Amino acid sequence: MYLLGLSLVLLALKYFEIGPVAAWSWWWILAPFGATAAWWAWADSTGYTKRKAVEKMEKRKRDRIDKQKEALGMRPRKPR
């Protein structure tokens, strides 16, 4: 996501001809877009994206269960 942000900032700087970026070649401006696409392709093909989403859902589930146990006066499980 950081690469996409960098890409958009560089694109805006080049388009509006701000600072030294205005003199750069368009290849330098568009290269981060290619790197972003490569990162997303790798992350999706290796399962990295799905794994992170599942980890996030599991953490939310554990936190919700622990909160409910605490409300019932039970001790929540120790973190894993």
Side-chain angles (χ1 to χ4, degrees):
M1 202 53 140
Y2 297 115
L3 278 174
L4 181 60
L6 174 68
S7 303
L8 294 174
V9 168
L10 288 175
L11 182 64
L13 289 173
K14 176 70 172 177
Y15 183 76
F16 293 113
E17 299 180 356
I18 299 173
V21 179
W24 292 1
S25 168
W26 274 103
W27 289 108
W28 289 109
I29 305 303
L30 299 177
F33 283 106
T36 302
W39 164 257
W40 281 339
W42 174 82
D44 287 343
S45 68
T46 61
Y48 178 82
T49 307
K50 187 67 171 176
R51 187 170 46 252
K52 287 296 181 181
V54 168
E55 287 174 5
K56 184 178 177 182
M57 286 189 316
E58 289 296 322
K59 183 180 179 336
R60 289 178 64 202
K61 180 181 174 183
R62 274 195 317 266
D63 290 346
R64 189 174 56 243
I65 290 171
D66 289 345
K67 183 179 174 184
Q68 291 299 319
K69 283 185 177 182
E70 197 172 298
L72 291 171
M74 301 169 68
R75 295 181 72 190
R77 278 192 286 178
K78 293 181 181 179
R80 297 178 191 174

